[in-house]
Amino acid sequence: MTAPAARYAAHAGLLVLGAVVGTAGALVQAAWFPLGLLLALLATAALFYGGMRATGNQAGLAAAGGGWLLAVILLSLGRPEGDGLFGGGLGELLFLFGGMGAAVICATVSRLPQNTP
């Protein structure tokens, strides 16, 4: 596989992984409220930072964050029948804003160290 194709595959994988972590986090934070929220936010931050470190740039973080945000927004919309995954409580808001805050923190940390000979 060529370098650009491998990079696109990595970003696509991070996009899917972001959606999986967003969905799992939405379920976990509601099921085990205080510790589930902490676990979901830690997994989200680890995904964002790991995506940035794995790809070597902020594009990996953006791909993972885009998948996460897409999943969380789609789950918060609900269905026409009126039932949705998010109930609108404090935990859901903390998960949404905490995840976005984790993305901003990971994006603004110092640049990745460059290998110098």
Side-chain angles (χ1 to χ4, degrees):
M1 204 180 332
T2 63
R7 191 172 350 154
Y8 293 142
H11 289 129
L14 284 169
L15 184 79
V16 171
L17 190 59
V20 169
V21 169
T23 303
L27 295 171
V28 167
Q29 65 85 22
W32 306 314
F33 173 62
L35 295 178
L37 177 64
L38 181 63
L39 178 67
L41 288 175
L42 286 174
T44 301
L47 170 72
F48 294 158
Y49 188 71
M52 184 180 71
R53 293 294 298 212
T55 59
N57 55 24
Q58 269 82 16
L61 171 102
W68 180 87
L69 187 62
L70 182 68
V72 171
I73 295 298
L74 288 177
L75 290 173
S76 68
L77 290 177
R79 296 182 0 185
E81 291 84 15
D83 54 348
L85 189 62
F86 289 116
L90 181 64
E92 291 87 2
L93 288 175
L94 287 174
F95 178 61
L96 180 64
F97 291 127
M100 289 189 291
V104 169
I105 289 170
C106 290
T108 57
V109 294
S110 63
R111 297 287 180 201
L112 295 171
Q114 301 297 324
N115 293 336
T116 56

